[in-house]
Structure formats: C-alpha cells, structure tokens
C-alpha cells in the first residue's frame, strides 16, 4: 500500500507530497515519470523543484521511497537546478536529513522534463552520460568532476557559460573524458572552461562572444583557436592564436548536424556517398566531390510530408549547421528553404548556379567565390524565434556577373 510521505525531516518534503493509489498519482498516472536514481529524485525534492513528488510503499515490512515527476507541472518550471555533490553541499544535505545525502548521482534520466531550466549544476557526481538536448533554455552548465566522455550541446543555443573540468578520481571508468566537443552552435557562449580532458582540437570560429577561455590540461594544450577570437579574450589559458586545422578523418567526414546528415543520406541513397554509423552520418569526401547535381534540403511543409512518409527520423528537425557541405564541391544547385541556419559557408562550392535560402536566419552571406551563380533567392524569415541578427544588412554581388535572377 502506498502511504503519504510525511517522515522526511527536511522542510522541502513537508508540502505537496502525495500518495499514489493504483488509479494514478499527481494529475494522471500516464503523465508521470518514475525517477530511476533516488539520489537525483531526493535532491530535486529537497530543492522543491516544481512537479517532483515522493511516496513511500511498505511491503513485507520493507519501506521503499520513490520519486516521481508530473511531466506537465515540470514543464512549467523555470530557473536553476543545483545538484552539486561536493563536500560542502553533502554536509548541507546531511543536515537536511536526506537519506541519499552522500550518494553520488549516476543517472539523470528525468531531467529532460524540465525544459525551462536555465542553469544546471552537476558538480562532483558520477554521471557517465548526459542528455540535455531538451533543455533549450539552458544558459549555464556546470558539470565539473563527472565522467561524461561525450556531450551534445548542439540544441543548447542559449548557452552562455560552460564549465566541465575532468575528474581525477581513481574510480573513474577508462573512458571518462572528452576527446571532442562541438560548440559551433553555441554562438552566445561567453565563458568556456573545459580543463583536464583529452581535447586536441576545438572549433571556436563561431563563438565570437567569448571572453573567458580555459582549456588547460588537455592533451593538445595549448589548443589553437582563431586569432580574432583569441584577441577578444580577457582570460586565455591553455590556448594560442593561429590557423585551426580539423583533425584528419581519412576519407570520411562526420556530419555534426544529424538532421543534415540524415537528409543527405535520404537524398543520395544508392550512391554510396553518405555512410550511416549508428546515429551519425559520414561523408565519403572523394565521392562527394564527384557529385554534380542539386542538393534539395528544404524543410518546407511539402518536403516534411515527403520525409515523414519515407521514415526519416529527423523529418521535422530543422537544419542548424551545414558543416560537411564543403565536400560537395561540384554541386550546381543548393536549396535550404525553411531551416534555422544562422550562418552558411559557400566559398568551396564554386560551381553553384542556383542557391535558395528562404526562411533562414543568416545575417551575413559571402557569395564572392560563387562566380557562376545565376539564381540567388533568400527571402528573410518572419519567425518569432529568429535571433536578433537574422537578416542581411549588406551583400557583395560584384563578382556574380552571371546573375540573372535575384530575390532578396
């Protein structure tokens, strides 16, 4: 039988605790998620995070505490979630009466139901994986001293501060540090601290707002970053200015944007240009260079239906980054209508004759290398989600002497 939880000593669990009868819990049982890690669940309750509930069940003389998330309520939460397990915070949790005060959080499943989280602190836990792709409002992520070797921040476009210093714990698994990280979409990033990992390369070319960078203790220390980025820094540790060269991936290039990779895979099926490797897509660079047709990558409604019917998983996911298209040097046409691109590099695509970019968020466009261009169409987006600098204020067309159709 499930009983009302009233045995906890700390203040945070004296309100909103509920029993869960068989017919449901808070709201609807179909709208609840059972938190698998009690250390995570109890910490959320201690912090009085909206939509988190606790209950106890007693069976055969054994009492079990469970933690639940009301998904609809959790979606209304906005603010910080602090799950720090450094010694100072552990002492506070002990004083608060938490039974899991000294237990490190190892599983953060459930965090995805708090999309309004603006700051997430995970210091000194034992996480080996982390999915924050749903936390699209995240501005600060502090995860020092965890064991996460892969980190996808491509959806966290509002991120301003990232701090993830590698763990030196003897209990850390063999693979517990970053060897790569994609920050190309985090254009609002101002402070970056990623120390004591295995980075040998990092692309910060898009991160023009950076003021503080500390990449010390990495395998490639000092890491080379673009000179214009370096010159803007007030703190520059573990980095040096210079020409940044991506690591050689042999004959293949891994596409960072899954929506782009899967679209290319769908469009070019049967040509053996795109290879699928689990959830990632790789471009055969040599074969891509021989392709001379058009790349139709529109996400307008008519194409969404086509992609959905074809079983494309990312059918409704907008393309936000086109890294990888530079290998298609022979294409003559490119259509990227109705995506969410904030930048686009066409300089390598010298055979382009037609470019259509309607309803994107590109504030600067260089077509000076595309001297064969005949058609250029880029009508601005009216989306309320568009960032501040999402429209052209100038464009140089002096080199495009073949141009016959221009729609801006």
């Amino acid at each position: 039988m499930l009983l009302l939880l009233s045995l906890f000593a700390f203040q945070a669990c004296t309100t909103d605790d509920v029993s869960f009868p068989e017919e449901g819990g808070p709201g609807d049982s179909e709208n609840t998620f059972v938190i698998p890690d009690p250390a995570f669940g109890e910490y959320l309750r201690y912090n009085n995070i909206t939509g988190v509930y606790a209950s106890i069940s007693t069976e055969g003389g054994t009492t079990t505490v469970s933690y639940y998330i009301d998904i609809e309520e959790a979606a209304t939460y906005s603010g910080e979630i602090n799950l720090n397990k450094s010694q100072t915070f552990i002492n506070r949790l002990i004083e608060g009466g938490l039974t899991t005060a000294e237990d490190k959080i190892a599983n953060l499943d459930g965090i995805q139901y708090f999309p309004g989280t603006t700051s997430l602190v995970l210091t000194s836990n034992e996480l080996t994986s982390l999915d924050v792709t749903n936390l699209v409002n995240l501005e600060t992520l502090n995860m020092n001293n965890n064991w996460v070797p892969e980190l996808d921040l491509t959806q966290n476009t509002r991120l301003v501060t990232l701090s993830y210093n590698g763990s030196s714990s003897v209990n850390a698994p063999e693979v517990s540090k970053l060897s790569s990280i994609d920050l190309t979409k985090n254009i609002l990033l101002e402070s970056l601290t990623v120390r004591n990992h295995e980075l040998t390369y990092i692309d910060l070319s898009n991160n023009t707002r950076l003021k503080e960078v500390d990449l010390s203790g990495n395998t490639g220390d000092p890491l080379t970053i673009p000179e214009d980025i370096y010159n803007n820094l007030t703190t520059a540790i573990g980095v040096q200015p210079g020409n940044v060269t991506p690591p050689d991936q042999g004959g293949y290039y891994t596409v960072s944007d899954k929506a782009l990779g899967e679209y290319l895979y769908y469009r070019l099926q049967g040509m053996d240009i795109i290879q699928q490797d689990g959830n990632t897509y790789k471009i055969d660079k040599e074969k891509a260079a021989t392709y001379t047709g058009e790349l139709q990558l529109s996400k307008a409604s008519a194409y969404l239906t086509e992609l959905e019917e074809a079983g494309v998983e990312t059918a409704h996911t907008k393309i936000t980054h086109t890294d990888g298209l530079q290998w298609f040097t022979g294409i003559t046409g490119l259509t990227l209508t109705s995506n969410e691109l904030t930048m686009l590099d066409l300089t390598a695509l010298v055979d382009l004759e037609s470019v259509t970019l309607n309803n994107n968020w590109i504030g600067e466009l260089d077509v000076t290398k595309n001297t064969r261009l005949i058609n250029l169409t880029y009508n601005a987006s009216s989306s309320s989600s568009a960032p501040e600098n999402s429209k052209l204020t100038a464009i140089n067309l002096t080199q495009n002497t073949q141009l016959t159709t221009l729609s801006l």
Side-chain angles (χ1 to χ4, degrees), residues 135-339:
L135 307 189
V136 294
N137 292 298
L138 202 61
E139 298 175 3
T140 298
L141 177 59
N142 187 325
M143 49 186 296
N144 297 334
N145 299 316
N146 275 279
W147 303 338
V148 179
E150 296 182 5
L151 189 60
D152 181 0
L153 299 176
T154 57
Q155 306 304 310
N156 311 106
T157 56
R158 298 186 182 184
L159 201 63
V160 175
T161 301
L162 171 63
S163 182
Y164 179 22
N165 298 326
S167 170
S168 59
S169 170
V170 295
N171 297 321
E174 183 178 355
V175 180
S176 63
K177 297 186 177 184
L178 298 177
S179 59
S180 65
I181 187 169
D182 180 1
L183 299 175
T184 56
K185 299 177 181 62
N186 310 106
I187 60 175
L188 301 182
L189 203 61
E190 295 179 7
S191 178
L192 173 65
T193 303
V194 182
R195 299 199 307 251
N196 303 322
H197 284 274
E198 297 175 354
L199 299 177
T200 57
Y201 162 82
I202 192 166
D203 181 359
L204 298 182
S205 57
N206 291 351
N207 309 107
T208 58
R209 298 194 183 189
L210 275 171
K211 296 299 179 185
E212 302 174 345
V213 173
D214 185 350
L215 300 177
S216 58
N218 277 281
T219 304
D221 180 2
L223 276 75
T224 302
I225 64 175
E227 186 171 359
D228 57 335
I229 302 295
Y230 183 89
N231 291 339
N232 285 334
L233 299 178
T234 56
T235 300
I237 305 173
V239 292
Q240 64 182 0
N243 295 320
V244 183
T245 303
D248 185 12
Q249 296 179 307
Y252 290 90
Y253 187 85
T254 301
V255 182
S256 60
D257 189 319
K258 183 180 178 181
L260 172 62
E262 190 175 23
Y263 210 151
L264 289 171
Y265 183 73
Y266 166 70
R267 280 282 177 238
L268 304 174
Q269 53 190 313
M271 298 184 186
D272 205 29
I273 297 175
I274 311 297
Q275 306 290 327
Q276 184 176 11
D277 183 8
N279 286 322
T280 63
Y281 295 86
K282 296 181 179 180
I283 298 171
D284 186 313
K285 294 187 289 187
E286 185 176 340
K287 291 181 179 178
T290 66
Y291 181 72
T292 58
E294 178 186 13
L295 286 181
Q296 170 57 266
L297 303 171
S298 173
K299 284 291 178 91
S301 57
Y303 291 95
L304 297 184
T305 301
E306 175 191 341
L307 296 175
E308 194 173 45
E309 291 177 350
V312 175
E313 181 183 346
T314 57
H316 291 270
T317 304
K318 303 291 190 180
I319 297 170
T320 59
H321 195 64
T322 58
D323 194 24
L325 288 186
Q326 66 268 28
W327 302 111
F328 290 87
T329 53
I331 61 171
T332 56
L334 177 63
T335 301
L336 289 162
T337 305
S338 297
N339 282 289

Side-chain angles (χ1 to χ4, degrees), residues 33-38 40 67 107-110:
F33 175 82
V34 180
I35 299 173
D37 190 324
F40 175 35
Y67 298 92
N107 186 342
L108 213 67
D109 195 13

Side-chain angles (χ1 to χ4, degrees), residues 1 56 64 88 111 121 138 146 155 204 225 241 249 287 346 348 381 390:
M1 175 181 179
I56 60 174
T64 303
T88 299
I111 196 66
V121 180
L138 202 61
N146 275 279
Q155 306 304 310
L204 298 182
I225 64 175
Q249 296 179 307
K287 291 181 179 178
L346 299 174
S381 169
S390 62

Side-chain angles (χ1 to χ4, degrees), residues 72-85:
E72 288 187 3
E73 287 186 29
T76 67
Y77 178 76
S78 177
E80 180 184 49
I81 295 181
N82 190 331
L83 303 169
N84 193 325
K85 280 290 180 94

